[in-house]
């Protein structure tokens, strides 16, 4: 009287939102409900994207990324504690921690005080840390986006995610509030041009 459902799905056909939607649909079916007929499918989205690229609708976004990534891109040379082995293994460790209410409150206050989101504040802190560790004046960071800006695809299963490239210049002499304002502009511009496929 016990049943187990196992799903093995390659990440190339689904994203995190899809997994939540799939679980929600399974629960609806398990409860005996009927699922509504979808108005569109992933292939429709893929068709829209293909047409948008072919007709030049995304040319402006492509031009933005070519300009954003022109010139020599810095390579982040992070220091490490020991010599890297010749044979790679994917063994690793994680360090998990939780912020206190006071720490998270301070971060939120910092974000609000500078007119930015908490996400922008955390990205700025992270890029400053990377720059300090690598003794670099410029950092290039890849950030994922959900890619579901069109309301029609909110409940569609599939891979909609894209990667945006942020170029950040957290030079030591730059005041933090000025750097945060620069990063805010970069992030907003990147998000405005997120429809252009990374590949």
């Amino acid at each position: 009287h016990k049943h187990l459902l196992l799903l093995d799905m390659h990440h190339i056909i689904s994203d995190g939102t899809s997994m939540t939607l799939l679980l929600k649909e399974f629960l609806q079916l398990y409860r005996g409900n009927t699922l509504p007929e979808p108005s569109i499918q992933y292939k429709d989205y893929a068709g829209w994207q293909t047409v948008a690229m072919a007709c030049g609708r995304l040319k402006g976004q492509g031009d933005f990324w070519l300009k954003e990534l022109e010139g020599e891109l810095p390579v982040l040379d992070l220091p490490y504690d020991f010599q890297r082995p010749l044979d790679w293994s994917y063994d690793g460790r994680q360090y998990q921690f939780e912020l206190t209410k006071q720490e998270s409150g301070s971060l939120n206050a910092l974000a609000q005080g500078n007119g930015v989101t908490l996400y922008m504040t955390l990205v700025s802190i992270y890029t400053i840390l990377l720059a300090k560790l690598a003794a670099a004046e410029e950092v290039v960071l890849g950030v994922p986006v959900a890619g579901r800006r069109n309301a029609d695809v909110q409940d569609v299963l599939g891979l909609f995610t894209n990667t945006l490239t942020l170029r950040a210049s957290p030079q030591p002499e730059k005041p933090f509030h000025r750097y945060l304002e620069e990063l805010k502009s970069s992030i907003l511009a990147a998000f405005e041009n997120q429809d252009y496929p990374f590949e």
Side-chain angles (χ1 to χ4, degrees), residues 69 72-76 127 130 138-142 165-168:
L69 300 174
E72 190 173 331
L73 294 175
V75 175
L76 201 60
T127 53
L130 291 175
E138 188 177 28
V139 174
V140 177
L141 188 66
T165 306
L166 300 178
R167 271 182 110 156

Side-chain angles (χ1 to χ4, degrees), residues 88-106:
W88 283 21
S89 81
Y90 292 94
D91 297 339
R93 281 185 254 171
Q94 292 182 350
Y95 178 72
Q96 295 183 357
F97 64 95
E98 290 184 21
L99 297 178
T100 65
K101 278 188 175 183
Q102 183 180 355
E103 290 167 335
S104 60
S106 295

Side-chain angles (χ1 to χ4, degrees), residues 37-45 48 150-157 160:
E37 194 65 35
S39 58
I40 64 166
Q41 295 183 11
Y42 186 78
K43 64 180 180 179
D44 298 315
Y45 168 79
W48 298 340
N150 186 324
D152 293 334
V153 300
Q154 294 301 316
D155 293 328
V156 176
L157 300 179
F160 294 89

Side-chain angles (χ1 to χ4, degrees), residues 175-187:
F176 179 73
H177 68 278
R178 198 174 102 216
Y179 173 62
L180 192 53
E181 188 62 36
E182 283 177 15
L183 199 62
K184 173 185 177 180
S185 296
S186 294
I187 290 173

Side-chain angles (χ1 to χ4, degrees), residues 62-71 167:
D63 293 343
F64 168 83
W65 287 112
L66 287 173
K67 185 173 181 342
E68 187 70 15
L69 300 174
E70 73 183 350
R167 271 182 110 156

Side-chain angles (χ1 to χ4, degrees), residues 8-188:
D8 183 17
M9 195 175 306
H10 196 283
H11 64 86
I12 201 167
I13 64 166
S14 67
D15 54 21
T17 303
S18 293
M19 299 314 294
T20 303
L21 291 169
L22 188 61
L23 181 59
K24 188 172 107 179
E25 289 184 1
F26 274 137
L27 289 173
Q28 290 293 326
L29 293 170
Y30 184 75
R31 292 180 179 132
N33 298 328
T34 304
L35 297 177
E37 194 65 35
S39 58
I40 64 166
Q41 295 183 11
Y42 186 78
K43 64 180 180 179
D44 298 315
Y45 168 79
W48 298 340
Q49 195 175 42
T50 303
V51 168
M53 290 296 289
C55 74
R57 197 170 343 131
L58 295 180
K59 184 181 180 330
Q61 291 192 26
D63 293 343
F64 168 83
W65 287 112
L66 287 173
K67 185 173 181 342
E68 187 70 15
L69 300 174
E70 73 183 350
E72 190 173 331
L73 294 175
V75 175
L76 201 60
D77 188 20
L78 291 172
Y80 40 87
D81 297 332
F82 50 86
Q83 193 64 34
R84 292 185 178 174
L86 293 176
D87 295 325
W88 283 21
S89 81
Y90 292 94
D91 297 339
R93 281 185 254 171
Q94 292 182 350
Y95 178 72
Q96 295 183 357
F97 64 95
E98 290 184 21
L99 297 178
T100 65
K101 278 188 175 183
Q102 183 180 355
E103 290 167 335
S104 60
S106 295
L107 283 170
N108 278 310
L110 178 63
Q112 288 176 353
N114 285 282
V116 298
T117 64
L118 182 58
Y119 173 78
M120 293 171 182
T121 304
L122 293 174
V123 168
S124 69
I125 293 168
Y126 182 57
T127 53
I128 289 170
L129 172 65
L130 291 175
K132 284 185 179 288
L133 287 174
E137 292 198 357
E138 188 177 28
V139 174
V140 177
L141 188 66
V143 295
V145 288
R148 292 175 181 261
R149 293 204 305 173
N150 186 324
D152 293 334
V153 300
Q154 294 301 316
D155 293 328
V156 176
L157 300 179
L159 180 67
F160 294 89
T161 57
N162 197 8
T163 303
L164 305 182
T165 306
L166 300 178
R167 271 182 110 156
S169 302
Q171 288 106 5
E173 69 279 357
K174 194 180 292 181
F176 179 73
H177 68 278
R178 198 174 102 216
Y179 173 62
L180 192 53
E181 188 62 36
E182 283 177 15
L183 199 62
K184 173 185 177 180
S185 296
S186 294
I187 290 173
L188 291 174

